Amino acid sequence: MAPNTQRDRHTDTQATDLQVDAQRLLSELQQLAGFTHCEQTGQPEVCAVTRIVFSDDDMQARTWLKGLYAEAGLSVREDAVGNTFARWEGAEPGAGAVGTGSHTDAIPHAGMYDGTVGVLGGLVAIRTLKRSGWTPRRSIELVMFTSEEPTRFGIGCLGSRLMSGTLDPAKADALTDSDEKTLAENRVSAGFHGELSGVRLPSSHYQSWVELHIEQGPLLERDGIDIGVVTDIAAPASYRIRIEGFGGHAGALLMPDRRDALCAASEVILTVERAALASGSIDTVATVGTVAVHPGAVNSVPSRVDLQLDIRDTEPDRRETVMLAVRETIHELQARRGVRIHMDEVNADLPAHSDAAIVEAIEAACAREGLSHRRMVSRAYHDTLFLSRIAPTAMIFIPCRNGVSHRPDEFATVEAMQNGVAVLADTLRMLSA
Ligand code: HGY
Ligand code: MN
Ligand code: MN
């Protein structure tokens, strides 16, 4: 099912006719960033964005975006989990569509470019093609995925997992947030009804899929490269670890009598770091990003600690080697420290490998735009990781300042966004011909 990359409908010189309005993209990104309880950072232009799925900020942003899609003449559909599809019908509506898009939810204290560049940049690419007089044979579909970030329900890419059939709908609906409200309750109160099983798309739905995203790493900027062409997306896994000792008075409970859950947790955390560093590859990364201590009082010995572990690698086997070391430490700690440790797997995914024809189409677009480009791995995960289970995929990266992301100082220049959108538009045109 090779994607259609014929270029007989336009000559190489046509690419330069794509006039991307990157100033409008920046303005719309800034408006979208306004849908957050912005934490003033005291630094000019640096606004910490937080936009948790199904929050008021998220719902207002969705309404605003749907207005833009309608204004651009796209037909809009939302599925039972809130994935939003803005479609430019092609001359052959029944043919597999060309998809693009990303997410607009944001973790706490994040920046304004992660995900949003792929949604609003995809919209600007469609507007650019419409303005150029292009009429697609294959429909072009812009997607905004629900809950790419794991913040609320503990698992990333909720919407694209359901679209690709890689997450059981009943299990998904039973996921709970920190208020113990299920996904089912959350999505229905947000206005998304229907069975989650209906979210799944057939593998014929997309003939090809391309996501535009900031690199979230330093390589493109460091090497002065305009565009990253993603060949692989590293395989993410995440786990919940609960350590139970017993608590007591910080003054009266003598050291030999303690079963301090936080001290045990610290050994788990250091094992994660040590094992990742010892994996033999720079592609192995592991992070304990959250620690919840109970009862959390300065003068009380911690009786219970909950950790969340995020571990990734381009090679799943190497990732499992790290997890083996973590499991061995857990076993040893229980005996030596007299604590109980329970680990639950939240997800353990395979990597994604981009489709060669789409990679080449992106590289041809870069060449026509006169942009430097390099093939690279994505160490962050994206919804494209799951779209790759039902369609040929690839990604386009643009540089971000100092490689920073998931921070308020996340930043991409207008020129970088202009380049990314021009390459995306040219690639979409090729794939939808
Ligand atoms: O964590 C990630 O890789 C993505 O940014 N959610
Ligand atoms: Mn992110
Ligand atoms: Mn992202």
PDB file of all heavy atoms in Angstrom, residues 178-203:
ATOM      1  N   SER A 178      -7.026  11.988  38.497  1.00  0.00           N
ATOM      2  CA  SER A 178      -6.657  12.123  39.917  1.00  0.00           C
ATOM      3  C   SER A 178      -7.888  12.352  40.799  1.00  0.00           C
ATOM      4  O   SER A 178      -7.830  12.210  42.010  1.00  0.00           O
ATOM      5  CB  SER A 178      -5.656  13.273  40.087  1.00  0.00           C
ATOM      6  OG  SER A 178      -6.192  14.445  39.497  1.00  0.00           O
ATOM      7  N   ASP A 179      -9.030  12.694  40.183  1.00  0.00           N
ATOM      8  CA  ASP A 179     -10.275  12.818  40.965  1.00  0.00           C
ATOM      9  C   ASP A 179     -11.056  11.506  40.956  1.00  0.00           C
ATOM     10  O   ASP A 179     -12.236  11.469  41.326  1.00  0.00           O
ATOM     11  CB  ASP A 179     -11.162  13.930  40.364  1.00  0.00           C
ATOM     12  CG  ASP A 179     -10.461  15.284  40.427  1.00  0.00           C
ATOM     13  OD1 ASP A 179      -9.680  15.505  41.384  1.00  0.00           O
ATOM     14  OD2 ASP A 179     -10.652  16.083  39.479  1.00  0.00           O
ATOM     15  N   GLU A 180     -10.396  10.452  40.475  1.00  0.00           N
ATOM     16  CA  GLU A 180     -11.056   9.132  40.369  1.00  0.00           C
ATOM     17  C   GLU A 180     -12.238   9.149  39.398  1.00  0.00           C
ATOM     18  O   GLU A 180     -13.120   8.311  39.476  1.00  0.00           O
ATOM     19  CB  GLU A 180     -11.517   8.636  41.746  1.00  0.00           C
ATOM     20  CG  GLU A 180     -10.360   8.323  42.721  1.00  0.00           C
ATOM     21  CD  GLU A 180      -9.308   7.360  42.115  1.00  0.00           C
ATOM     22  OE1 GLU A 180      -9.726   6.318  41.562  1.00  0.00           O
ATOM     23  OE2 GLU A 180      -8.104   7.694  42.143  1.00  0.00           O
ATOM     24  N   LYS A 181     -12.290  10.167  38.497  1.00  0.00           N
ATOM     25  CA  LYS A 181     -13.341  10.190  37.450  1.00  0.00           C
ATOM     26  C   LYS A 181     -12.832   9.405  36.242  1.00  0.00           C
ATOM     27  O   LYS A 181     -11.659   9.575  35.844  1.00  0.00           O
ATOM     28  CB  LYS A 181     -13.621  11.642  37.015  1.00  0.00           C
ATOM     29  CG  LYS A 181     -14.807  12.306  37.708  1.00  0.00           C
ATOM     30  CD  LYS A 181     -15.059  13.704  37.182  1.00  0.00           C
ATOM     31  CE  LYS A 181     -15.846  13.707  35.870  1.00  0.00           C
ATOM     32  NZ  LYS A 181     -16.100  15.089  35.376  1.00  0.00           N
ATOM     33  N   THR A 182     -13.674   8.563  35.669  1.00  0.00           N
ATOM     34  CA  THR A 182     -13.229   7.728  34.540  1.00  0.00           C
ATOM     35  C   THR A 182     -13.179   8.555  33.262  1.00  0.00           C
ATOM     36  O   THR A 182     -13.785   9.632  33.163  1.00  0.00           O
ATOM     37  CB  THR A 182     -14.211   6.564  34.318  1.00  0.00           C
ATOM     38  OG1 THR A 182     -15.484   7.134  33.956  1.00  0.00           O
ATOM     39  CG2 THR A 182     -14.330   5.692  35.560  1.00  0.00           C
ATOM     40  N   LEU A 183     -12.487   7.988  32.256  1.00  0.00           N
ATOM     41  CA  LEU A 183     -12.483   8.617  30.930  1.00  0.00           C
ATOM     42  C   LEU A 183     -13.919   8.719  30.429  1.00  0.00           C
ATOM     43  O   LEU A 183     -14.333   9.743  29.889  1.00  0.00           O
ATOM     44  CB  LEU A 183     -11.632   7.808  29.949  1.00  0.00           C
ATOM     45  CG  LEU A 183     -11.761   8.212  28.473  1.00  0.00           C
ATOM     46  CD1 LEU A 183     -11.287   9.643  28.237  1.00  0.00           C
ATOM     47  CD2 LEU A 183     -10.988   7.247  27.573  1.00  0.00           C
ATOM     48  N   ALA A 184     -14.696   7.642  30.654  1.00  0.00           N
ATOM     49  CA  ALA A 184     -16.096   7.639  30.187  1.00  0.00           C
ATOM     50  C   ALA A 184     -16.846   8.834  30.769  1.00  0.00           C
ATOM     51  O   ALA A 184     -17.520   9.577  30.048  1.00  0.00           O
ATOM     52  CB  ALA A 184     -16.769   6.330  30.585  1.00  0.00           C
ATOM     53  N   GLU A 185     -16.705   9.065  32.086  1.00  0.00           N
ATOM     54  CA  GLU A 185     -17.414  10.191  32.706  1.00  0.00           C
ATOM     55  C   GLU A 185     -16.897  11.517  32.155  1.00  0.00           C
ATOM     56  O   GLU A 185     -17.669  12.425  31.831  1.00  0.00           O
ATOM     57  CB  GLU A 185     -17.223  10.134  34.232  1.00  0.00           C
ATOM     58  CG  GLU A 185     -17.958   8.984  34.912  1.00  0.00           C
ATOM     59  CD  GLU A 185     -17.440   8.689  36.332  1.00  0.00           C
ATOM     60  OE1 GLU A 185     -16.218   8.914  36.574  1.00  0.00           O
ATOM     61  OE2 GLU A 185     -18.227   8.232  37.164  1.00  0.00           O
ATOM     62  N   ASN A 186     -15.580  11.600  32.015  1.00  0.00           N
ATOM     63  CA  ASN A 186     -14.994  12.854  31.535  1.00  0.00           C
ATOM     64  C   ASN A 186     -15.441  13.176  30.118  1.00  0.00           C
ATOM     65  O   ASN A 186     -15.846  14.300  29.821  1.00  0.00           O
ATOM     66  CB  ASN A 186     -13.465  12.740  31.559  1.00  0.00           C
ATOM     67  CG  ASN A 186     -12.878  13.150  32.901  1.00  0.00           C
ATOM     68  OD1 ASN A 186     -12.829  14.322  33.227  1.00  0.00           O
ATOM     69  ND2 ASN A 186     -12.436  12.184  33.678  1.00  0.00           N
ATOM     70  N   ARG A 187     -15.377  12.181  29.226  1.00  0.00           N
ATOM     71  CA  ARG A 187     -15.678  12.488  27.830  1.00  0.00           C
ATOM     72  C   ARG A 187     -17.153  12.789  27.622  1.00  0.00           C
ATOM     73  O   ARG A 187     -17.517  13.684  26.845  1.00  0.00           O
ATOM     74  CB  ARG A 187     -15.191  11.366  26.903  1.00  0.00           C
ATOM     75  CG  ARG A 187     -15.917  10.028  27.012  1.00  0.00           C
ATOM     76  CD  ARG A 187     -15.271   8.985  26.109  1.00  0.00           C
ATOM     77  NE  ARG A 187     -15.938   7.686  26.192  1.00  0.00           N
ATOM     78  CZ  ARG A 187     -16.968   7.334  25.432  1.00  0.00           C
ATOM     79  NH1 ARG A 187     -17.469   8.191  24.540  1.00  0.00           N
ATOM     80  NH2 ARG A 187     -17.526   6.141  25.561  1.00  0.00           N
ATOM     81  N   VAL A 188     -18.012  12.095  28.371  1.00  0.00           N
ATOM     82  CA  VAL A 188     -19.462  12.374  28.216  1.00  0.00           C
ATOM     83  C   VAL A 188     -19.775  13.769  28.742  1.00  0.00           C
ATOM     84  O   VAL A 188     -20.490  14.536  28.090  1.00  0.00           O
ATOM     85  CB  VAL A 188     -20.296  11.281  28.923  1.00  0.00           C
ATOM     86  CG1 VAL A 188     -21.756  11.699  29.055  1.00  0.00           C
ATOM     87  CG2 VAL A 188     -20.180   9.957  28.143  1.00  0.00           C
ATOM     88  N   SER A 189     -19.175  14.149  29.879  1.00  0.00           N
ATOM     89  CA  SER A 189     -19.479  15.513  30.359  1.00  0.00           C
ATOM     90  C   SER A 189     -18.841  16.564  29.461  1.00  0.00           C
ATOM     91  O   SER A 189     -19.289  17.702  29.429  1.00  0.00           O
ATOM     92  CB  SER A 189     -19.073  15.732  31.817  1.00  0.00           C
ATOM     93  OG  SER A 189     -17.958  15.027  32.173  1.00  0.00           O
ATOM     94  N   ALA A 190     -17.852  16.151  28.667  1.00  0.00           N
ATOM     95  CA  ALA A 190     -17.282  17.115  27.707  1.00  0.00           C
ATOM     96  C   ALA A 190     -18.087  17.127  26.404  1.00  0.00           C
ATOM     97  O   ALA A 190     -17.795  17.896  25.477  1.00  0.00           O
ATOM     98  CB  ALA A 190     -15.827  16.755  27.407  1.00  0.00           C
ATOM     99  N   GLY A 191     -19.087  16.232  26.338  1.00  0.00           N
ATOM    100  CA  GLY A 191     -19.974  16.244  25.169  1.00  0.00           C
ATOM    101  C   GLY A 191     -19.621  15.219  24.118  1.00  0.00           C
ATOM    102  O   GLY A 191     -20.148  15.256  22.993  1.00  0.00           O
ATOM    103  N   PHE A 192     -18.734  14.283  24.438  1.00  0.00           N
ATOM    104  CA  PHE A 192     -18.342  13.259  23.459  1.00  0.00           C
ATOM    105  C   PHE A 192     -19.019  11.950  23.828  1.00  0.00           C
ATOM    106  O   PHE A 192     -18.647  11.284  24.801  1.00  0.00           O
ATOM    107  CB  PHE A 192     -16.824  13.114  23.420  1.00  0.00           C
ATOM    108  CG  PHE A 192     -16.124  14.401  23.058  1.00  0.00           C
ATOM    109  CD1 PHE A 192     -15.292  15.047  23.959  1.00  0.00           C
ATOM    110  CD2 PHE A 192     -16.346  14.989  21.816  1.00  0.00           C
ATOM    111  CE1 PHE A 192     -14.688  16.261  23.646  1.00  0.00           C
ATOM    112  CE2 PHE A 192     -15.739  16.202  21.473  1.00  0.00           C
ATOM    113  CZ  PHE A 192     -14.918  16.843  22.396  1.00  0.00           C
ATOM    114  N   HIS A 193     -20.066  11.617  23.038  1.00  0.00           N
ATOM    115  CA  HIS A 193     -20.872  10.429  23.355  1.00  0.00           C
ATOM    116  C   HIS A 193     -20.533   9.315  22.372  1.00  0.00           C
ATOM    117  O   HIS A 193     -19.722   9.500  21.463  1.00  0.00           O
ATOM    118  CB  HIS A 193     -22.360  10.809  23.254  1.00  0.00           C
ATOM    119  CG  HIS A 193     -22.734  11.942  24.170  1.00  0.00           C
ATOM    120  ND1 HIS A 193     -23.090  11.742  25.472  1.00  0.00           N
ATOM    121  CD2 HIS A 193     -22.743  13.295  23.970  1.00  0.00           C
ATOM    122  CE1 HIS A 193     -23.327  12.927  26.050  1.00  0.00           C
ATOM    123  NE2 HIS A 193     -23.124  13.887  25.165  1.00  0.00           N
ATOM    124  N   GLY A 194     -21.204   8.170  22.572  1.00  0.00           N
ATOM    125  CA  GLY A 194     -20.988   7.052  21.634  1.00  0.00           C
ATOM    126  C   GLY A 194     -19.983   6.048  22.172  1.00  0.00           C
ATOM    127  O   GLY A 194     -19.271   6.319  23.146  1.00  0.00           O
ATOM    128  N   GLU A 195     -19.956   4.919  21.498  1.00  0.00           N
ATOM    129  CA  GLU A 195     -19.058   3.838  21.932  1.00  0.00           C
ATOM    130  C   GLU A 195     -17.619   4.132  21.503  1.00  0.00           C
ATOM    131  O   GLU A 195     -17.369   4.528  20.349  1.00  0.00           O
ATOM    132  CB  GLU A 195     -19.518   2.517  21.290  1.00  0.00           C
ATOM    133  CG  GLU A 195     -20.871   2.006  21.806  1.00  0.00           C
ATOM    134  CD  GLU A 195     -20.855   1.822  23.310  1.00  0.00           C
ATOM    135  OE1 GLU A 195     -19.863   1.246  23.832  1.00  0.00           O
ATOM    136  OE2 GLU A 195     -21.805   2.303  23.980  1.00  0.00           O
ATOM    137  N   LEU A 196     -16.672   3.889  22.394  1.00  0.00           N
ATOM    138  CA  LEU A 196     -15.263   4.103  22.042  1.00  0.00           C
ATOM    139  C   LEU A 196     -14.824   3.152  20.924  1.00  0.00           C
ATOM    140  O   LEU A 196     -13.900   3.442  20.173  1.00  0.00           O
ATOM    141  CB  LEU A 196     -14.359   3.890  23.255  1.00  0.00           C
ATOM    142  CG  LEU A 196     -14.198   5.066  24.222  1.00  0.00           C
ATOM    143  CD1 LEU A 196     -13.036   4.809  25.177  1.00  0.00           C
ATOM    144  CD2 LEU A 196     -14.041   6.393  23.502  1.00  0.00           C
ATOM    145  N   SER A 197     -15.521   2.029  20.823  1.00  0.00           N
ATOM    146  CA  SER A 197     -15.131   1.072  19.766  1.00  0.00           C
ATOM    147  C   SER A 197     -15.300   1.703  18.382  1.00  0.00           C
ATOM    148  O   SER A 197     -14.639   1.322  17.420  1.00  0.00           O
ATOM    149  CB  SER A 197     -15.998  -0.192  19.864  1.00  0.00           C
ATOM    150  OG  SER A 197     -17.378   0.187  19.880  1.00  0.00           O
ATOM    151  N   GLY A 198     -16.154   2.734  18.307  1.00  0.00           N
ATOM    152  CA  GLY A 198     -16.363   3.407  17.013  1.00  0.00           C
ATOM    153  C   GLY A 198     -15.243   4.368  16.636  1.00  0.00           C
ATOM    154  O   GLY A 198     -15.224   4.909  15.524  1.00  0.00           O
ATOM    155  N   VAL A 199     -14.286   4.562  17.555  1.00  0.00           N
ATOM    156  CA  VAL A 199     -13.163   5.488  17.260  1.00  0.00           C
ATOM    157  C   VAL A 199     -12.185   4.850  16.269  1.00  0.00           C
ATOM    158  O   VAL A 199     -11.548   5.521  15.464  1.00  0.00           O
ATOM    159  CB  VAL A 199     -12.448   5.869  18.576  1.00  0.00           C
ATOM    160  CG1 VAL A 199     -11.142   6.620  18.301  1.00  0.00           C
ATOM    161  CG2 VAL A 199     -13.380   6.691  19.456  1.00  0.00           C
ATOM    162  N   ARG A 200     -12.117   3.522  16.324  1.00  0.00           N
ATOM    163  CA  ARG A 200     -11.115   2.816  15.504  1.00  0.00           C
ATOM    164  C   ARG A 200     -11.318   3.079  14.007  1.00  0.00           C
ATOM    165  O   ARG A 200     -12.447   3.051  13.513  1.00  0.00           O
ATOM    166  CB  ARG A 200     -11.190   1.313  15.781  1.00  0.00           C
ATOM    167  CG  ARG A 200     -10.164   0.522  14.993  1.00  0.00           C
ATOM    168  CD  ARG A 200      -9.991  -0.864  15.501  1.00  0.00           C
ATOM    169  NE  ARG A 200      -8.873  -1.517  14.821  1.00  0.00           N
ATOM    170  CZ  ARG A 200      -8.421  -2.724  15.166  1.00  0.00           C
ATOM    171  NH1 ARG A 200      -8.987  -3.385  16.157  1.00  0.00           N
ATOM    172  NH2 ARG A 200      -7.394  -3.258  14.542  1.00  0.00           N
ATOM    173  N   LEU A 201     -10.238   3.356  13.295  1.00  0.00           N
ATOM    174  CA  LEU A 201     -10.315   3.601  11.846  1.00  0.00           C
ATOM    175  C   LEU A 201      -9.798   2.386  11.094  1.00  0.00           C
ATOM    176  O   LEU A 201      -8.865   1.719  11.545  1.00  0.00           O
ATOM    177  CB  LEU A 201      -9.468   4.817  11.469  1.00  0.00           C
ATOM    178  CG  LEU A 201      -9.934   6.188  11.992  1.00  0.00           C
ATOM    179  CD1 LEU A 201      -8.946   7.271  11.565  1.00  0.00           C
ATOM    180  CD2 LEU A 201     -11.339   6.514  11.509  1.00  0.00           C
ATOM    181  N   PRO A 202     -10.393   2.078   9.938  1.00  0.00           N
ATOM    182  CA  PRO A 202      -9.879   0.978   9.119  1.00  0.00           C
ATOM    183  C   PRO A 202      -8.513   1.353   8.533  1.00  0.00           C
ATOM    184  O   PRO A 202      -8.221   2.547   8.358  1.00  0.00           O
ATOM    185  CB  PRO A 202     -10.924   0.821   8.020  1.00  0.00           C
ATOM    186  CG  PRO A 202     -11.596   2.150   7.921  1.00  0.00           C
ATOM    187  CD  PRO A 202     -11.564   2.744   9.290  1.00  0.00           C
ATOM    188  N   SER A 203      -7.689   0.361   8.206  1.00  0.00           N
ATOM    189  CA  SER A 203      -6.341   0.685   7.701  1.00  0.00           C
ATOM    190  C   SER A 203      -6.422   1.326   6.311  1.00  0.00           C
ATOM    191  O   SER A 203      -5.458   1.865   5.808  1.00  0.00           O
ATOM    192  CB  SER A 203      -5.480  -0.578   7.647  1.00  0.00           C
ATOM    193  OG  SER A 203      -6.149  -1.532   6.876  1.00  0.00           O
TER     194      SER A 203
END
